[in-house]
Structure formats: C-alpha cells, structure tokens
Amino acid sequence: MMCNSKSKKTYSRISAAILFLIVFFIPLFKLSAESVGRELIRDIKVVGLSRIESEAFVDMMCFHAGETFDKEVLKKCIRRTFKKGIFLDIRVDSEWTGDGVKLTYFVREFPVISNIYIKGNNGVSKKQVMKAMSLDEGDDFREELVQKAEKNIISLYKRKGFYNTAVKISFKTPKSISKVDIDVNIDEGMPLRIKSINMPDEALRRTGVSVNDIYDSDIIDKEITKLKGYYIKQGYIRPEVGPYELRDGELYVPVNPGGRFEIEFRENTVFSNKKLLKEMPFIESEMVSDELIEEASNRIRDIYLKSGYYHVQVAAGVENIEDLTKITFIIFEGKKVTVGSVDFEGMSIDEKIVKGMIPLKENALYDEDLLAGSSDSIENFYNALGYINMKVINVRKAFENDGRIVNLVFEINEGIQVMVKGLDINGNSDLSVSEIRNAISLRMNTPLNLVDIRDARYSVLALYKRFGYIDADVDIATEINGNEADIHFNITENRPSVLGKVIIRGNRKTKEKIIRREFTLTEGSPYNYDEILKIKQSIYKMGLFNEVSIDELSSEKLSYKTVRDVLVTLKEDMAGSVEVALGYGDYEQFRGSLDVNYNNLGGSNRQAGFRAEVSSVEKKFGIEYVEPWLFNKRGLDFRASLSKEGRKNVNIDTRDVLFEIDKLSIIAGIEKELADGLKTNVSYEYSLNETSNLEPGVILGREDAGTLAIGSISTSVFYDTRNNPFDPSSGSINGVVIKFASKAFLSEVEFIKGTFQSSWYHELRKGLVFATSLKGGASYSYEEDDELPLVERFFLGGRTTVRGYSHDTLGPKGIADVPTGGNIFALINEELRIDVGKGIGCVIFLDGGNVWQVSDDIDGKLKFSAGGGLRYITPVGPVRIDYGHKFDRDAGESPGEIHFSFGHAF
C-alpha cells in the first residue's frame, strides 16, 4: 500500500510537471510558429560589396531593418537585383536571434578590367586589336568573353594577311579583387605576300594593290569597291569584280565590266542633262528594264509638272548596240502654265480665307500634284467648322491663252453644320468631372470638330497618366441628330500604377546617388510617364552619358494598384575633353585657344576646367570649378574661377598701344535655375588691375594708372528660350546684370553698374531669320570724380557692336582722338540672316549705338552703320566676314570697316 501511495504521489508530481510545461510552453510554440511565417528583420549585413554603396544594394533587395521577412519576395528581389548587371552571385543567410532574424547578403561582383596590355602586335595597330576584342578598360570582366576575344583577334589577323597568328589572353588580379588586368600576347608569324597579280591591266591601273604587298583582305575589298564604282560611273551595269583568291602567291581577281548603258536627252531646254541624270534609277537598280524606263519617264515628267509645265510629254526609246544599251528620252516640254483664277461653287463662307489656306495660288505656277492637297485643305477647314459631311465634288479646269493659263473651279457640297449641344463624362471615380472638363478644349454651342474630339481624348488620357493611370482607356461616342451633336466620354480607369524600384546599370564611373538625385519621382509615387521623360532629359543634361534609356522592368498587380519597377540603362560618355581652336580677327589678328575640361570629378558630376586664350593683344589663362547641386539642392550651382589676363588696347590702323591692363581676379558665385530657361546668379569678384603704357588722352581719373583693387558683388537674371545658343533661329535671351563695388567688399573704389540685354530671333521662313538686339548700360561712381576706372568703362565699336567702326573707337575721345570710354552706352543691332545652302550664309545688318562720358552728355544721338557679310556655318557657330559702312561719319573717319571673326555678332 505504501508503494502504491508513493507511486501515486510520483505520478501526480509528474502529471503536474507535464501540465505546467504544456501551459507554459504552448504560447512559446505558438509564437514560434507565427514567427516562422513572418519573422521581423533585426539587422542586415552585406559582405563582398565594392562597386556600389551598401544602402543602394539593400534598397534593391527590398527589405530593411524592422520589416517582415518573406522568402518569396526575397527571390523576386534577387532576380531584380541581378538586372543591375554587376553581380556574379548573390547568396542570403538568415540567422534567428531570438527576437527576429539577421540577414547577411554575400555577393560576388563582376570584376572591372583595369588595364589591357597588348604585346607582339607589330603588323596591326593596338586600336584595331582593341576593337576586335570587344573589351575595353572599365568594362565588366567575364571569363567567357576571353575565348571569343582570342578568336576575334585571330580573325582580324587573317583579314590582314597573317594566317599563322597565335593569341594567348591571360588575366590577373592586381591589388583589388574587384579589378582585373588583361595581358594579350600575340605571335603574329610571317604574313602572306602578293608575289604576282592576275588581273586585267586596265583594272589593275585603277587599284592601289601592288606586288610584294601583304595579302590584306580589308585593303583589297576597299580597292575592289572603288573599282566597281569606277565602272558604274562609266555607265556599266552590274560590273563583276571578284571573288578574289591567293594561289601560291598569285592574287587572282576576275573582272567582268558587263554591259554598258548610255542616256541621251533631246529637246530639253528647261532642265540640263546633269539635273535629269540625277533622276535616273538605272544606276541604283543596276539594271535596265521596261519598268525602270517607265519610272524614269515619270520622274522626268514630275520635275516638269512641279515647275508648271502641265502639258509636258516624255517619250523613251531603247537601242541595243553590241554591249551598249542606249536609252533616248525625247521631251516635249510645252508651255509653262500659271494659275489664273481660283473660284468656288456652293461655298457660303468667306472665299478669301479658303484661298489663303490652299497651296494652289492665283498667278503662281500650276502644279497638278497640289490639286489633291488643295481639296484636302478645303475639306479639313470645313470639318473644323462643323461641316463633317462636306465634300469637294469636282475641280473644273479651263485653259486659256493657248494653254498657258488655267482657271480652277472647286465644286463644293457643304452639307449641314453640326454644333456641340451636350457633353457628358462617365466611368470616372478617382478624378472629378471638373478636372476632366478642364483638360479638354470642347465647349458647348461650338462647331463639331472631329480633330478636337480626338485631341480631347488624348488630353484626358494624358491627364490620367499624370496621376499614374497608364492603363486607363477613353472611348468617345458621338451622337448626331440633325445639326446637333452629343459627345459621350466613357472612361475605364483601371487600377493606378505607382513607381516601384529603380535599378540603374551602366554607370561605371558616376556614383549611383548622383543619378538618383535627378529623379523627381520616389518609390510609391504615381507612375507619371511625362515626368519619367523629364527625368531622362535631366540625366542627359548632366553631360556624362551619350545613351540613356528608362524602361519598365517588371510589374506586380495588387488588388488596388500596379507596382512598376524600372530599369535605367546608361552608356557613359567621355568625361574629359580637349579643344584647340585657331582663328583670325581683324582686331586680334591671329589667335588661338585651348580648353581642357573634366566633368565628373570623383564620379559626382563636379566639373573642372582650364582655358587659355592667346592673341597679339590678349593673353588670358583661367581655371574654373563647378559644384552642381550645392547643399544637395536641385538647380543650385556653385562656380569659382581664378584667371590671369594681360590685354592691350591698340589703334587698329597703326597698331600703336593705347593702354595695357594686367588683371588677376578670383570669382565665386551661386547660380540658381528658377524655371526652364530662367537663371539667376549672385557672385563676388576680387581683382587686382594694373594699368600701364597709357596714352595721355585716356587718363580721366586718378585710378587710371597703377594698380587698383576692385571688390564687387554682381547679381543677374537671364531668361533664355533660344533653340540653339550658337546659331539660333527662334526664341530670345533677355537679362539684367547689376554690379556693386564697395569698400565693404575690399574695393579701393566704389560704384554701381548695370547692363541689360534683349535679343530676339524669328524664322520668317525656312532659311531666313530676322534677329534683333537691344543692349544698354549705365554706371555711377561714388568717388569725387564721376568717372569709372578704365577697366570698368563701356566701349563700343567693332565686330560685335557697331560694325562700321573699328574696335572700341565709338564714343568719347581724349587727346589725339584716343578712345576713353564712358559711363553710359546704348546699342541696337538688327540682322537678316539668309541660309543659301551647303553651310554658306549671308547677312544684311543695321547697327546703331553710342557711348557717353556721363549722364549730362546724353543727347539721344546714335551712330549708325549698315552692311552685309558672309557666313560659313560650323557645328559651334559661323565663321564670318562683315563690312559695315558708316552713315554719319566725322571728318577724318574711314567710310567703313571690315571684320573677320567667329560666331554671330549677337
């Protein structure tokens, strides 16, 4: 009994313990089971990363500390991260820490090719070998490309005549595991040489291939192409040259010129044989056929019809003489036809308006091809006024004056005019009716215009896309009852789209954060396609990439939205540039410049540059630094420069020196882009100005000789809408600059100086641009005398101001007519720029301006000059020569001046 009692006690104790364990651990088991499905991430670590920052990698991998871990989401994020294009492998380890999970990402990156060393290439240039390899320094290194590169180099050498070439490419890791050096060892072997040439003598004389040359297929192919071109120019059809081969040192090249054709034109007096020959299709088709002869006849006829020869007829004949095919075109030109009158039957609107819209004009040459276009223009005009069923039934032609004048009558059936009476919008839920109505231009009681309806649909779609509804659809139904129309907009919004992850690839030198800061959209923002295009343009404007594409990478449809990831693919351009320019100017005579710039210091789009300008009158050297995104603010640039300048002011006729200025200056400022084309700038300048060798008449104030320190603050605002800053044909540039020098800014003199500019450009028609510019400036000195220091005065006259005068000679003069400059100036320029083709242009211009010493001297009288010039257009502006003639010259002045220069006057 005691044993049983003891057993019962033991059993009770065990049962109680088990019960306690069950009660205590069940919540823990439950918590653990829940954690398996949705573990919290407590920490994230990245191992092996060197090519991008850890924050950027973690962002691409979706998860952040404090978020819930999901294995399925992780798989998707890994696949997406591989699109970055720099990873060989990505592995993820997860470790349970008791209160969450710790993630460790182990990554292996593609190493970058640091250096490529090529040895043994004596017969082929390094540039050709590099091109054949398709590998370059800075590229990602992939081992599978090495074997392909070896084959490509061997193929290159075979084309160059080296058939026994051996290539071995090896690679090694220098100091960093993320970089690779490549050694290309080439054993060229002996090249094959041409011992003799089997080729017709006449053909051989036309090539540059000679005995003892290396058997270079690239050169031989080029010479064969040139030989075929020669035969084609001689009138041969489908000349056959090759295929060639080398037989025991003998180059065998079969040549068969084929048949020859000759073209003759008869009775043509309006157009030359040379012009008509350009229209012949036989050379480009390399054959003669009945169809091509008919096409040639039609081309000749079209040339005449476009010039008003409505009655032209063309007859063609073909004659075969041995291997010669002779084609003769006999042209009956007829008389030139002009349009007499243009009338309309059945028209109730103002005929003058319609006549102004159609391409056929009264008293102009008659072109049959413009007839259909005129009918279309009339119908489109009527449709825009609500006459949606209007038709041009017929066009009657009546010839008079022996067929030289044609009178046209357009027979019109107007139909009824339909007006918009009702407009309703259905299917919209996330955008209001008022928002949609404001986006479209349709209004009640206006003529029904089908073009406006189509445009209204696009406007609504564009509105929805701005809010991320890129899958939205708009269907428009038009109900017409008699002369009234009801328009129904039926909208299917579908789910909105938001921006997901942005993956950037191709930026080898540029830091990823420098590119990301150009994005005005963030993750979760509405997927605005128009804004994405603006982002693409912003990245282009950085000047670091020659290719930018932004494409949708993937999309995930959720219950209430679609998340769209995008891939930004970039191709980096050369960040550095060296530019050398030589020129000649009437004032400077021979001149030259050197520009050295680098636009991506530290991969951060920071810019540094050096510029040197040298001429007979000026030597200027300067360095500049630009920090974009100052304080990480969009459109806020910091600019600093240091320059040393030595300048002589000379008499252009005698080359006598009037004065010399040596200037050392430092400038630091901030430039802010307020809107597209609108910029403002605030800068501080401190300069040391040494003036020497002054002619007595130049000295007006006590600061004009010796060394003068000037410290000043300048502020400016410019609005630039020109379509091309070097050669504008539309738009304008307007701006104001205010400069204030004060002792508070470490200046020895005190003054305030302001200038303004307003230049406008209008394309009157293609190749004809009218340009006008108005500039002015005024200054006031706080010193005892009213004069500004010499270096700050205004001067006019010369190639960019008033071209009838030589450099800086217009305005106040001192002893012996030495120009002294002044405190106030006004300048007006007008040009008519004419493009005559093939990069040649000419201008007719009128310039007027004057300089006054002080405000009391202003009499409102400007000195005018007019003239003309020639231009040769280059990618960075025109090279020009101008002659300006004075209108009102003083005694002893020349009639005018000739100027040689570069760039437009304004």
Side-chain angles (χ1 to χ4, degrees), residues 191-461:
L192 297 180
R193 293 191 177 272
I194 301 171
K195 298 178 181 177
S196 61
I197 301 176
N198 187 335
M199 187 179 187
D201 291 341
E202 181 187 359
L204 183 58
R205 287 195 298 270
R206 302 285 175 185
T207 67
V209 181
S210 305
V211 174
N212 293 324
D213 286 351
I214 295 177
Y215 180 62
D216 189 324
S217 298
D218 290 341
I219 293 176
I220 297 172
D221 288 340
K222 183 178 178 181
E223 293 299 319
I224 285 179
T225 300
K226 186 171 70 175
L227 182 60
K228 289 178 69 174
Y230 164 76
Y231 282 120
I232 290 172
K233 287 182 179 179
Q234 299 303 309
Y236 289 93
I237 299 176
R238 291 187 180 178
E240 296 179 0
V241 182
Y244 62 89
E245 59 179 324
L246 191 69
R247 302 174 181 171
D248 298 326
E250 180 183 45
L251 177 63
Y252 175 72
V253 185
V255 177
N256 179 16
R260 189 165 58 89
F261 72 93
E262 183 181 291
I263 299 176
E264 181 182 358
F265 301 100
R266 294 181 185 176
E267 308 301 330
N268 56 307
T269 60
V270 177
F271 298 109
S272 66
N273 292 348
K274 183 178 180 181
K275 180 172 180 60
L276 296 177
L277 276 171
K278 292 180 180 179
E279 301 297 324
M280 298 297 99
F282 308 110
I283 293 178
E284 59 193 62
S285 300
E286 295 187 342
M287 64 181 298
V288 175
S289 66
D290 293 340
E291 291 79 8
L292 288 175
I293 292 173
E294 180 65 24
E295 181 183 340
S297 299
N298 290 334
R299 289 186 181 186
I300 295 171
R301 191 178 297 109
D302 288 342
I303 292 176
Y304 276 89
L305 289 174
K306 289 183 183 300
S307 297
Y309 291 86
Y310 175 73
H311 304 289
V312 65
Q313 297 183 36
V314 180
V318 180
E319 184 179 5
N320 294 308
I321 307 171
E322 295 181 353
D323 64 342
L324 174 66
T325 300
K326 186 176 181 180
I327 309 169
T328 303
F329 293 95
I330 304 173
I331 304 170
F332 305 95
E333 295 177 330
K335 301 296 182 181
K336 187 179 288 188
V337 179
T338 58
V339 179
S341 61
V342 177
D343 295 308
F344 305 92
E345 287 185 0
M347 180 177 288
S348 62
I349 61 179
D350 190 348
E351 293 185 358
K352 291 182 180 179
I353 298 176
V354 180
K355 285 184 178 181
M357 297 180 57
I358 63 176
L360 279 171
K361 305 295 183 184
E362 294 178 338
N363 300 318
L365 292 175
Y366 177 66
D367 184 351
E368 182 82 4
D369 290 342
L370 298 180
L371 204 59
S374 296
S375 297
D376 291 340
S377 297
I378 297 170
E379 291 183 0
N380 291 335
F381 179 64
Y382 263 92
N383 292 160
L385 296 178
Y387 295 88
I388 60 176
N389 295 314
M390 178 271 174
K391 292 293 180 185
V392 176
I393 302 171
N394 184 36
V395 182
R396 296 200 309 269
K397 291 177 281 190
F399 290 92
E400 61 181 37
N401 194 13
D402 197 21
R404 299 185 184 188
I405 296 177
V406 60
N407 298 315
L408 303 175
V409 178
F410 290 84
E411 300 177 9
I412 293 170
N413 182 2
E414 290 184 334
I416 61 173
Q417 186 180 31
V418 180
M419 307 293 286
V420 176
K421 290 299 182 182
L423 190 154
D424 65 302
I425 298 169
N426 304 299
N428 60 302
S429 58
D430 290 351
L431 294 185
S432 67
V433 171
S434 61
E435 286 178 298
I436 297 171
R437 283 184 177 272
N438 289 335
I440 60 180
S441 58
L442 295 176
R443 298 293 179 265
M444 298 298 98
N445 300 313
T446 58
L448 176 66
N449 187 335
L450 299 181
V451 175
D452 286 347
I453 293 176
R454 181 195 62 195
D455 292 342
R457 177 178 182 271
Y458 291 145
S459 296
V460 175
L461 286 173

Side-chain angles (χ1 to χ4, degrees), residues 41-243:
I41 300 171
R42 296 302 181 186
D43 188 27
I44 297 176
K45 184 180 179 182
V46 185
V47 179
L49 194 64
S50 64
R51 294 184 57 177
I52 62 172
E53 296 176 352
S54 296
E55 293 80 1
F57 179 83
V58 170
D59 186 65
M60 286 189 292
M61 292 295 292
C62 304
F63 299 119
H64 297 81
E67 296 178 347
T68 303
F69 177 67
D70 188 317
K71 290 184 179 180
E72 293 303 317
V73 173
L74 178 64
K75 291 177 183 178
K76 173 193 170 185
C77 294
I78 291 176
R79 289 195 299 268
R80 181 175 59 200
T81 304
F82 271 116
K83 296 290 185 179
K84 176 73 176 174
I86 65 172
F87 299 112
L88 269 167
D89 185 37
I90 300 174
R91 183 169 58 85
V92 184
D93 281 358
S94 59
E95 179 184 353
W96 176 253
T97 61
D99 61 346
V101 65
K102 176 183 178 182
L103 296 180
T104 303
Y105 298 122
F106 295 92
V107 301
R108 285 177 57 212
E109 299 169 327
F110 284 110
V112 175
I113 299 173
S114 180
N115 299 289
I116 298 178
Y117 303 101
I118 300 175
K119 301 175 183 177
N121 60 311
N122 299 315
V124 178
S125 70
K126 178 181 177 180
K127 183 178 180 180
Q128 290 174 307
V129 175
M130 290 285 289
K131 185 177 180 181
M133 287 177 63
S134 297
L135 296 174
D136 203 352
E137 294 172 354
D139 289 350
D140 293 336
F141 175 74
R142 304 169 189 262
E143 292 187 29
E144 63 268 20
L145 297 179
V146 171
Q147 189 175 3
K148 182 179 178 181
E150 290 178 347
K151 291 180 179 179
N152 289 344
I153 296 173
I154 291 173
S155 176
L156 167 67
Y157 268 89
K158 284 185 177 180
R159 293 202 319 271
K160 294 297 180 182
F162 295 81
Y163 277 73
N164 299 309
T165 298
V167 178
K168 178 62 178 177
I169 298 180
S170 58
F171 54 92
K172 59 184 178 181
T173 302
K175 295 181 179 179
S176 171
I177 194 171
S178 63
K179 294 184 178 180
V180 166
D181 286 345
I182 294 179
D183 290 320
V184 182
N185 294 287
I186 301 172
D187 181 5
E188 294 182 332
M190 295 300 294
L192 297 180
R193 293 191 177 272
I194 301 171
K195 298 178 181 177
S196 61
I197 301 176
N198 187 335
M199 187 179 187
D201 291 341
E202 181 187 359
L204 183 58
R205 287 195 298 270
R206 302 285 175 185
T207 67
V209 181
S210 305
V211 174
N212 293 324
D213 286 351
I214 295 177
Y215 180 62
D216 189 324
S217 298
D218 290 341
I219 293 176
I220 297 172
D221 288 340
K222 183 178 178 181
E223 293 299 319
I224 285 179
T225 300
K226 186 171 70 175
L227 182 60
K228 289 178 69 174
Y230 164 76
Y231 282 120
I232 290 172
K233 287 182 179 179
Q234 299 303 309
Y236 289 93
I237 299 176
R238 291 187 180 178
E240 296 179 0
V241 182

Side-chain angles (χ1 to χ4, degrees), residues 700-701 704 750-755 776-783 785-796 810-812 820-826 850-858:
L700 294 176
D704 283 346
E750 294 187 314
F751 61 85
I752 186 169
K753 180 180 179 181
T755 59
S779 57
Y780 175 76
S781 174
Y782 295 101
E783 302 296 311
D785 50 45
D786 294 331
E787 290 301 322
L788 259 66
L790 181 62
V791 294
E792 296 290 346
R793 294 179 205 158
F794 298 118
F795 290 84
L796 287 185
L810 185 59
T820 61
N823 290 16
I824 302 171
F825 86 96
N850 211 343
V851 180
W852 297 276
Q853 194 165 315
V854 291
S855 58
D856 293 340
D857 298 334
I858 298 177

Side-chain angles (χ1 to χ4, degrees), residues 29 151 272 413 523 678 734 756 838:
F29 280 124
K151 291 180 179 179
S272 66
N413 182 2
E523 186 175 347
L678 180 62
N734 304 273
F756 75 90
K838 297 185 178 179

Side-chain angles (χ1 to χ4, degrees), residues 31 84 103 110 196 372 441 471 487 498 537 582 673 701 857 891:
L31 178 62
K84 176 73 176 174
L103 296 180
F110 284 110
S196 61
S441 58
D471 295 324
I487 304 173
V498 298
Q537 293 171 353
L582 297 174
E673 185 174 8
D857 298 334

